Structures are given as C-alpha cells and as structure tokens.
C-alpha cells in the first residue's frame, strides 16, 4: 500500500479511423481528467453518448488535488460513485491553525448532524480518477479513446470538426457539441485563439507525498511562519493509505529544479516531522495562476474545469469547482441536444459558472494575500490578526488560511423564479439542495439520493391525511413538452397518506427536511436536475410551477434562441 503505480491504458484503434468520411457524434469531451470524466458520466446518465478523448494513457500522475468538498461528494453520489470515493478516502470536518509554535485556534466545518457526507474527503487525485473511470465504463455510453490528442478544432455552423492524432495516424470526427476539459494549459483554448485572463501568482510551493505511520487526528493543519519553516506557510493533510500530503511555501526566488532534489526536500521534511519515520513518495514544485476565460460557451464549444478557470490551491477549489461545472452543464447540454430546450440554456451554464468562478477567484485571491503578504504593512497586519485570534473569536473571522471550497449559490441566475413568499434559511432559489435523512418504504435513505437527476417537485404534506385534490391533479400535469418532472411528497414519520402512482413518499425521519427547507404543510419546492432550488412557494399552484419549469429551461414563451 502507499506506492501507487500508474496504470497504462491501452490505445485501441477506433472504427472511426477506417471510415471513408469523418463520423458524426453528438458530443465529444476532450480531456479525461476529473472534470471531463464527470461530464461524460453525467451526459451518459442523461442518455447522451460521448466520445471522450485524452492524449495520455493513464490517470493523474503524482500529487495534485486532495480535498473533495461535501457538495462535490453529493455530485459524485448523483453520478453513482460518491460512496466509493468516501470509502476509499479519509473524511474530515475539523482543522487547526498555528502561528509560529502556538495553536491559534481549531475549527469545525460541519457542526450539523444529519448529513450523509462530511465537510471533506481527502483522496489522491489518481484514485478519484480511477473511480470515475470505472463509473464512466459502467455507463456503457462513454467511448474513451486514450492516446488521442486533439490537434485541430474548427467550428462551422452546424458542427465542430476535430482532428485527432493517435499512435497510428490522424483522423477526423465531427461533433454537434464539444466539451473542453483539457486542463490549465488548454491546447483547445489556444487553437480557438481564446484567452484566460488574470494573474500569475509569483510564489512557489513544494508539494510532497510521504508515507508514514502517524497518529495525528484526521484534520487540516495549517501553519503560518512555523519554527520548522520560518517566514513561510505549511499545510498537512492525510490522504488514503497512510500517505500524507505536505505543502511548503517556498517563495518566488527559488529554483524549482534545485528544490525538487531529495537532498533538499528530505531535510526540510525532517525539520517538520522530527524523528518520525517516513518515505518520500513524490515531490513537485507548483506555482499557479488565478484567472478565467471571459465566457465558457463559444458557439458549440463549452469549456469546463481548469481549461475555463484556474485558482490557487488554497481552499481546494480546483477539482471541486470543475466538478461543479460538469454538474451544471450535464443536464443543460442533454436537454439542448435532445431538443427539449433552446441553445440559450447553455448560455446560462456560462453565466452561472462564470459567477461561481469569480466567487472562487475572489476567495482564492484573499487567501493568497493573507498567506503570502506582499508588503511589510500587510505582514504586520496579518501577524497581529493571528495573535489576536488566539484569544478573540472576532479576529478568527479575519484569519484566512485558505477559505475552503463552498458550493456556489446561483442567486442571480436567470433560471430562478424569485420568491413571492417569505422563507427563512439558506434554501433560496439558486442554492444547492440540502441533504437530510428520510425513510422510504421503511428504509433509511438520504433526500438527495431520492431526487436523482430530473426536475423534482417536493411537496410538504406534513400532518395531512389525504393529498388535496388540486395538488394530486396538479403534480401529474407538471411534465411538459417531454421535460420530465418527478414529484416527492414529504410527510412526518408513519403518515399513511395515499399518493398517486409514481410519486415517492419521503418520511421526514428527524424533521430535518422541513427544518432545512423552512417548510410547512403545503410548501412546494422545485429543484433542477443538478439539485439546485429554482423556485418555491408556501402553497402549490400547478400553473406557477409549470411556468417555473419553463423558465428554468429557457422555454418561456417569447424567449428565442
Ligand atoms: C502539481 C499540481 C498540484 C495541484 N494541487 C491541487 C490541490 O492541492 N488542490 C486542488 O484543488 N487542486 C490542485 N491542483 C489542480 C487540480 O489538479 C485541477 O484543478 C484538476 O485536475 C482539474 O481537472 P481538469 O479535469 O479540469 O483538468 P486536468 O486534470 O488537467 O485534465 C486535463 C486532461 O486533458 C488531457 N489533454 C490535454 N490536452 C489534450 C488534447 N489536446 N487532446 C486530448 N486530451 C488532452 C490531459 O492529458 C488531461 O488528462 C493541482 C494541480 C497540479 C498540476
């Protein structure tokens, strides 16, 4: 255990290479990193087959992303592999922040019980990709082609032509849509002459994976200016198989080749780990940029993940935000490709995820400023905040050791129907749906797993012995123009209420669903296929609900594509 050997996947010649003319496909996804894999699985689960092209023949090499946030785990649950990721990785909810040799404070990220997933699961990126690959294969709809480098992309009106280089020559395909997930350097972005604007951060980090037996609690530990690495920051995370990830800030004026040498690295780690036995498994020197493309949709080409935006590693926003891109894009592209929605729906992908990227970039920039102050004044301020934070909770809010990834709330989305009724709490239109335990047919399950990947109406019938006639009739009429809307009825435990066929009864096991959604009898929530709230009312009205479905799919009368 511990020493991961990268698998080598076989290149297989595709029948497309022997076709007399470029074969047409609905969707090509370029890049089989975590984001491309998640996008291909999602599209497959919406019934859309994809060709997934990757220029390499293995999963991620070395130590890259580590921490997957609760929201990402919930998306992975929806894709069918969250449990495998959670079981393979190491879950954690707490962390500690140190300044020099004192603990400034400790924190808990998820105080609330009744959630399926912890705040984070740590897992090496190569394991995450292996699990996603397994899931992609299981769909039977992902045609994964290794050693297939896209070297040219041309868009004409109805399609996108791709030129693909393989070990036995180049060939072309034509696609209705291309999802570009080819990483931070994004050759396809460059082929299209598009830019990613922002800032290259003038700092370097040593990242090392070490194998060691350590009984430290499973927490995030962050040090400012520690005695073992003065004037810089350090971060420690546990991963699977007793592999620990250490990030040491080096500063810009360092020679990356020199810093990578084990003769340099091992003494640095010794300073940190003391006499503890460890084996150095991997080392790299990392610098980063904080930037994004102006728009993520360019005609029939959609950008996601690092290809669309890059951010500092503080806060674990890279893979987390990329998987949230895929989550946002999957259902929209599936609806547009099958004619259920106009192409305008894909502009909402760009709008919503550009806003999310901006939020991530803002947090990443603030973390970077706090962790690596660029002037003496900022450094004095930073150190004063850290000293105060030891005794005063108000100062803790100002400490920024990498505010950890939180899901985007799509508050300003044009797909939302604004609240007309008063609600308390965070389940506002645009918010990702909160999870809670529910009982279905006597079995304890989770709300989000019962929602799946369709539009969902969630009607609260707590205390009702029969479903009101207009509600029973209304929910049956929600499926419009082939856009499926499923309905769940939430009741208190043991309520024997009879429901129309196809409607799932969810018993609110600990009253947490009603609490988290601030729902009373008659409340109705409409949720999108990516499990974001898009509308809610204190009373059900079929006409308003249908209108909200049309709005959330850009199908409102008078809207053109
Ligand atoms: C050294 C390092 C450390 C990192 N540490 C962290 C961290 O601590 N926390 C964090 O959140 N994130 C971290 N990241 C970032 C994280 O790894 C990325 O955010 C994540 O991998 C993005 O996934 P992606 O699928 O968008 O791109 P990638 O994982 O980069 O995948 C892109 C894929 O596209 C393929 N490809 C490229 N060009 C072509 C082409 N022309 N044709 C076909 N295929 C192509 C590549 O082979 C690759 O498989 C780190 C990254 C690096 C490099």
């Amino acid at each position: 255990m511990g020493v991961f050997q990268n698998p080598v996947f076989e290149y297989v010649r595709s029948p497309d290479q022997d076709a007399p003319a470029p074969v047409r496909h609905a969707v090509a996804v370029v890049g089989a990193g975590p984001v491309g894999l998640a996008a291909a699985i999602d599209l497959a689960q919406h019934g859309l087959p994809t060709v997934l092209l990757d220029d390499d023949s293995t999963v991620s090499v070395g130590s890259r992303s580590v921490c997957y946030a609760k929201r990402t785990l919930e998306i992975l649950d929806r894709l069918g592999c969250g449990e495998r990721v959670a079981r393979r990785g190491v879950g954690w909810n707490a962390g500690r922040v140190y300044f020099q040799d004192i603990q400034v404070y400790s924190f808990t990220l998820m105080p609330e019980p009744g959630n399926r997933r912890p705040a984070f699961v740590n897992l090496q990126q190569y394991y995450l990709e292996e699990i996603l690959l397994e899931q992609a294969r299981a769909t039977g709809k992902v045609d994964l082609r290794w050693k297939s480098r896209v070297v040219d992309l041309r868009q004409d009106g109805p399609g996108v032509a791709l030129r693909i280089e393989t070990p036995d020559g180049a060939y072309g395909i034509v696609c209705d849509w291309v999802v570009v997930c080819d990483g931070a350097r994004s050759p396809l972005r460059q082929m299209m002459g598009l830019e990613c604007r922002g800032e290259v951060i003038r700092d370097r980090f040593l990242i090392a994976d070490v194998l060691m037996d350590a009984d430290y609690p499973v927490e995030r530990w962050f040090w400012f200016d520690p005695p073992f690495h003065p004037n810089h920051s350090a971060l420690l995370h546990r991963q699977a198989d007793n592999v620990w990830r250490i990030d040491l800030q080096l500063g810009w004026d360092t020679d990356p080749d020199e810093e990578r040498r084990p003769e340099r690295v091992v003494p640095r780690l010794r300073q940190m780990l003391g006499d503890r036995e460890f084996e150095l498994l991997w080392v790299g020197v990392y610098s980063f940029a904080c930037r994004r493309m102006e728009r993520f949709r360019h005609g029939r080409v959609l950008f996601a993940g690092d290809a669309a935006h890059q951010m500092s590693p503080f806060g674990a926003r890279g893979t987390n935000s990329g998987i949230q891109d895929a989550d946002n894009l999957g259902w929209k592209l599936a609806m547009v490709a099958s004619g259920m929605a106009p192409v305008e729906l894909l502009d909402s992908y760009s709008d919503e995820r550009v806003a999310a990227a901006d939020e991530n970039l803002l947090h990443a920039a603030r973390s970077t400023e706090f962790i690596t102050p660029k002037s003496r004044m900022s450094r004095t301020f930073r150190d004063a905040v850290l000293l105060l934070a030891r005794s005063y909770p108000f100062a803790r809010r100002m400490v920024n050791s990498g505010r950890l990834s939180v899901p985007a709330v799509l508050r300003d989305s044009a797909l939302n129907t604004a609240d007309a009724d008063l609600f308390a709490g965070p389940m506002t239109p645009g918010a990702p749906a909160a999870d809670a335990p529910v009982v279905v047919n006597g079995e304890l399950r989770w709300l989000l797993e019962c929602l799946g990947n369709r539009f969902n109406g969630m009607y609260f019938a707590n205390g009702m012995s029969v479903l009101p006639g207009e509600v029973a009739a209304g929910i049956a009429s929600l499926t419009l123009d082939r856009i499926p809307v499923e309905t769940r009825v939430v009741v208190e435990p043991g309520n024997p209420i009879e429901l129309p066929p196809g409607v799932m009864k969810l018993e609110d096991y600990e009253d947490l669903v009603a609490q988290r959604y601030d729902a009373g009898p008659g409340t109705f929530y409409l949720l999108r296929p990516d499990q974001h709230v898009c509308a809610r009312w204190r009373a059900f009205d079929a006409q308003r609900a249908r209108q909200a479905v049309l709005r959330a799919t850009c199908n409102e009368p008078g809207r053109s594509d």
Side-chain angles (χ1 to χ4, degrees):
M1 292 289 255
V3 186
F4 177 75
Q5 299 291 339
N6 269 81
V8 180
F9 304 115
E10 216 183 315
Y11 158 75
V12 179
R13 191 177 169 86
S14 158
D16 288 2
Q17 290 167 261
D18 301 312
V23 174
R24 187 158 193 122
H25 294 275
V27 184
V29 177
V30 183
V35 179
L37 283 162
I41 297 167
D42 207 359
L43 290 168
Q45 290 181 346
H46 283 288
L48 204 59
T50 59
V51 176
L52 177 52
L53 301 160
D54 196 277
D55 61 350
D56 208 348
S57 57
T58 188
V59 288
S60 152
V61 175
S63 196
R64 295 183 66 186
S65 64
V66 176
C67 312
Y68 308 109
K70 176 170 168 288
R71 174 66 191 148
T72 304
L73 297 165
E74 289 166 354
I75 294 168
L76 295 173
D77 277 329
R78 189 176 60 71
L79 298 182
C81 55
E83 187 61 27
R84 270 172 279 164
V85 171
R87 257 199 268 125
R88 189 74 183 85
V90 184
W92 61 276
N93 290 308
R96 290 167 203 257
V97 175
Y98 297 88
F99 178 41
Q100 297 168 347
D101 56 355
I102 47 173
Q103 180 179 315
V104 178
Y105 67 96
S106 61
F107 61 89
T108 303
L109 292 166
M110 194 158 55
E112 223 178 38
N115 271 288
R116 183 180 191 183
R117 298 297 170 208
F120 280 90
V121 163
N122 285 358
L123 184 66
Q124 293 91 318
Q125 186 168 326
Y126 42 76
Y127 286 140
L128 171 73
E129 290 185 18
E130 283 195 328
I131 292 169
L132 286 166
L133 270 173
E134 188 183 23
Q135 190 63 10
R137 287 195 194 103
T139 65
K141 285 193 159 66
V142 180
D143 175 1
L144 209 169
R145 302 184 189 174
W146 298 110
K147 289 257 164 229
S148 299
R149 170 172 296 152
V150 176
V151 290
D152 192 32
L153 175 152
R154 271 158 221 266
Q155 273 202 80
D156 58 18
V160 187
L162 296 181
R163 186 100 193 126
I164 302 157
E165 243 172 40
T166 72
D168 49 20
Y171 68 102
I173 58 172
V174 178
C175 313
D176 297 340
W177 301 97
V178 175
V179 182
V180 179
C181 311
D182 59 350
R185 294 204 175 93
S186 186
L188 273 79
R189 193 180 64 224
Q190 290 172 32
M191 283 169 213
M192 293 178 71
L194 299 168
E195 276 184 291
C196 210
R197 288 216 183 122
E199 205 191 345
V200 175
I201 305 298
R202 291 168 62 81
D203 208 340
R204 292 187 217 283
F205 293 81
L206 178 83
I207 53 182
D209 270 0
V210 301
L211 181 65
M212 68 176 174
D213 266 326
D215 49 6
Y216 307 137
V218 184
E219 295 176 342
R220 177 187 199 258
W221 287 2
F222 192 98
W223 289 263
F224 292 94
D225 191 13
F228 57 82
H229 192 50
N231 291 317
H232 291 97
S233 65
L235 178 65
L236 179 71
H237 270 293
R238 187 185 196 134
Q239 307 175 94
D241 301 343
N242 276 349
V243 175
W244 296 74
R245 160 78 171 259
I246 294 163
D247 291 44
L248 296 176
Q249 183 196 7
L250 295 175
W252 185 242
D253 298 325
T254 42
D255 175 353
D257 294 331
E258 178 64 17
E259 293 297 344
R260 243 180 240 120
R261 290 173 48 230
E263 306 86 272
R264 266 313 267 179
V265 177
V266 171
R268 280 195 191 282
L269 298 180
R270 207 26 87 232
Q271 292 274 323
M272 179 178 184
L273 302 171
D275 294 335
R276 203 173 279 279
E277 285 291 308
F278 67 86
E279 185 188 338
L280 182 60
L281 299 180
W282 190 85
V283 66
V285 174
Y286 180 58
S287 58
F288 59 88
C290 287
R291 57 188 178 189
R292 70 159 168 87
M293 295 175 73
E294 196 184 341
R295 286 180 291 123
F296 298 171
R297 176 184 169 220
H298 290 265
R300 293 178 166 271
V301 182
L302 300 135
F303 288 82
D306 275 16
H309 47 72
Q310 298 125 50
M311 40 206 81
S312 85
F314 311 123
R317 290 164 192 275
T319 301
N320 285 297
S321 63
I323 289 182
Q324 287 172 42
D325 291 344
D327 177 55
N328 190 295
L329 179 60
W331 67 276
K332 294 176 179 173
L333 184 50
M335 286 188 102
V336 171
S338 62
M340 281 191 250
V343 292
E344 212 181 356
L345 186 59
L346 295 173
D347 287 329
S348 78
Y349 160 68
S350 179
D351 294 346
E352 291 180 352
R353 293 310 300 167
V354 161
D358 281 347
E359 198 175 296
N360 279 318
L361 285 165
L362 182 71
H363 284 294
R366 286 186 183 151
S367 305
T368 307
E369 175 57 27
F370 196 84
I371 293 167
T372 61
K374 296 291 176 286
S375 67
R376 192 182 295 184
M377 181 72 97
S378 321
R379 167 79 192 246
T380 307
F381 169 78
R382 200 269 317 260
D383 291 356
V385 167
L386 286 167
L387 285 173
L388 282 171
R390 197 175 168 200
S391 315
Y392 300 103
F394 83 89
R396 287 175 200 161
R397 286 195 296 274
M398 295 155 79
V399 174
N400 193 334
S401 66
R403 292 249 152 83
L404 288 152
S405 171
V406 289
V409 176
L410 312 169
R411 272 186 206 87
D412 300 323
S413 172
L415 307 189
N416 295 340
T417 297
D419 276 341
D421 301 329
L422 281 178
F423 282 92
M427 284 299 103
T428 162
D435 208 1
V438 289
V439 171
V440 181
N441 297 327
E443 202 189 320
L444 190 57
R445 294 179 60 187
W446 293 97
L447 174 64
L448 295 187
E449 89 177 281
C450 298
L451 295 179
N453 65 359
R454 301 278 176 92
F455 273 96
N456 264 276
M458 194 158 67
Y459 181 77
F460 287 80
N462 328 40
M464 297 182 189
S465 52
V466 281
L467 206 56
E470 69 279 12
V471 175
I475 56 181
S477 72
L478 288 183
T479 288
L480 293 162
D481 297 332
R482 300 187 295 125
I483 303 169
V485 181
E486 295 180 351
T487 314
R488 314 287 177 237
V489 170
V490 182
V491 291
E492 72 280 14
N495 185 329
I497 192 169
E498 290 288 325
L499 299 176
V503 175
M504 190 189 279
K505 180 161 82 175
L506 308 176
E507 291 177 39
D508 195 357
Y509 180 57
E510 289 169 331
D511 196 37
L512 287 174
V513 185
Q515 283 175 34
R516 288 182 180 161
Y517 288 78
D518 182 30
T523 297
F524 183 77
Y525 270 75
L526 185 69
L527 299 148
R528 310 184 336 180
D530 57 7
Q531 302 183 340
H532 278 256
V533 174
C534 59
R536 58 181 177 172
W537 300 273
R538 286 278 170 211
F540 175 73
D541 177 306
Q543 175 58 26
R544 284 190 310 197
R546 281 195 295 269
Q547 198 59 36
V549 175
L550 294 176
R551 185 175 183 83
T553 53
C554 293
N555 273 311
E556 276 178 313
R559 261 181 122 134
S560 68
D561 45 317

